[in-house]
Amino acid sequence: MSHILLIEDDVLLGDGLRQYLVAHGFECTWVTASHNVEKSWFKADLVVLDRQLDDGDSLKHLPYWLNLKAVPVIILTAKVDVEQRVEGLMTGAKDYMTKPFAQEELLARIITQLRPIGSGQISYQSLTIDPSKRLIKRIVKQQSTEINLKPKEFQLLLLLIQNQGRVFHREELLNKIWGYQAFPTTRTVDNHILRLRQQFPELNIETHRGIGYRLMEATTS
């Protein structure tokens, strides 16, 4: 059962959402102020965050919370300007909903964010990856070898293979893999790319100076 952390200072809205989420099979912890968030953040699988709390703009805390644990964050707010929506997404949120909203739509967005990246196997050159099992196999001359990666390395490899031919900015990779953009340095991405290149010579990863990386499409034999 997935655990939702709901951060909302409107008592009627917060209690209604908590009951709605529980009725639809989720565990839900509801807090009303930013100083109560940290102790509940670690057990959350997803966070629904009201942007404007009684104690201020919650976005100023989001990079710190995501540093504790990277989880999908959906922002709820009455702020409708494009610039403010972009600010929320660039701070590390995965989705953004403006008030008023339908509970059914929020539920659909939560389910989408919690959906596994993929359950079917995908291939690239000699590699076969099973996302649901986090399993990587290299098949050469009918011999199969399993390869173990750290979680972030696996997520980065999977993202690149699922988006062959696309150029990713370093900052975008930070946001997608680590869950927030305010990571101390983009060298984190560079170091992970280096390790992937070392472990997988068959990966044709291009470096785009000053921008990021692109995995070239697999060649057909």
Side-chain angles (χ1 to χ4, degrees):
M1 182 181 295
S2 296
H3 194 114
I4 308 299
L5 173 59
L6 172 62
I7 308 167
E8 172 59 65
D9 60 359
D10 184 310
V11 175
L12 289 177
L13 177 59
D15 186 52
L17 281 178
R18 183 191 61 79
Q19 294 185 45
Y20 182 79
L21 292 172
V22 170
H24 284 80
F26 294 99
E27 293 182 354
C28 183
T29 298
W30 170 35
V31 300
T32 60
S34 59
H35 63 266
N36 293 325
V37 168
E38 186 171 339
K39 61 184 179 182
S40 301
W41 190 274
F42 292 97
K43 62 183 180 181
D45 297 304
L46 181 143
V47 176
V48 177
L49 174 63
D50 179 21
R51 176 163 179 176
Q52 200 61 42
L53 301 173
D54 283 342
D55 52 0
D57 190 344
S58 61
L59 283 191
K60 65 184 180 183
H61 304 291
L62 187 54
Y64 171 75
W65 291 333
L66 287 169
N67 192 24
L68 300 174
K69 177 186 175 183
V71 294
V73 176
I74 299 176
I75 293 179
L76 304 179
T77 183
K79 296 178 179 290
V80 297
D81 292 345
V82 172
E83 294 81 4
Q84 292 168 331
R85 295 201 301 270
V86 170
E87 182 184 9
L89 294 171
M90 295 301 287
T91 304
K94 296 294 187 182
D95 204 351
Y96 206 103
M97 290 190 68
T98 55
K99 300 177 180 178
F101 59 88
Q103 291 181 330
E104 294 82 0
E105 182 180 359
L106 176 61
L107 177 64
R109 290 175 185 246
I110 289 173
I111 292 172
T112 297
Q113 290 295 335
L114 292 174
R115 185 178 295 147
I117 294 175
S119 56
Q121 292 187 351
I122 59 175
S123 299
Y124 183 92
Q125 306 293 71
S126 59
L127 302 176
T128 300
I129 303 175
D130 187 335
S132 64
K133 298 179 180 178
R134 295 189 176 274
L135 181 65
I136 305 171
K137 291 184 179 180
R138 176 183 283 121
I139 302 175
V140 178
K141 296 181 179 179
Q142 297 182 339
Q143 292 187 343
S144 176
T145 304
E146 290 191 7
I147 304 169
N148 294 316
L149 289 180
K150 294 179 179 179
K152 296 302 182 187
E153 293 172 347
F154 182 90
Q155 292 175 36
L156 180 58
L157 173 64
L158 186 60
L159 179 66
L160 292 173
I161 290 179
Q162 290 178 324
N163 294 275
Q164 298 172 42
R166 175 183 168 183
V167 177
F168 282 98
H169 287 252
R170 287 176 174 85
E171 292 80 5
E172 184 180 7
L173 291 173
L174 280 173
N175 192 36
K176 287 182 176 292
I177 302 301
W178 283 265
Y180 61 107
Q181 197 181 39
F183 202 79
T185 171
T186 53
R187 288 296 298 171
T188 300
V189 173
D190 299 336
N191 292 335
H192 278 69
I193 291 289
L194 175 61
R195 288 198 288 270
L196 289 182
R197 284 170 165 163
Q198 292 171 339
Q199 294 191 69
F200 303 102
E202 57 266 68
L203 293 178
N204 185 7
I205 302 177
E206 285 186 343
T207 299
H208 289 250
R209 293 191 180 278
I211 301 175
Y213 299 98
R214 172 171 63 176
L215 177 64
M216 299 299 293
E217 293 186 12
T219 58
T220 56
S221 57

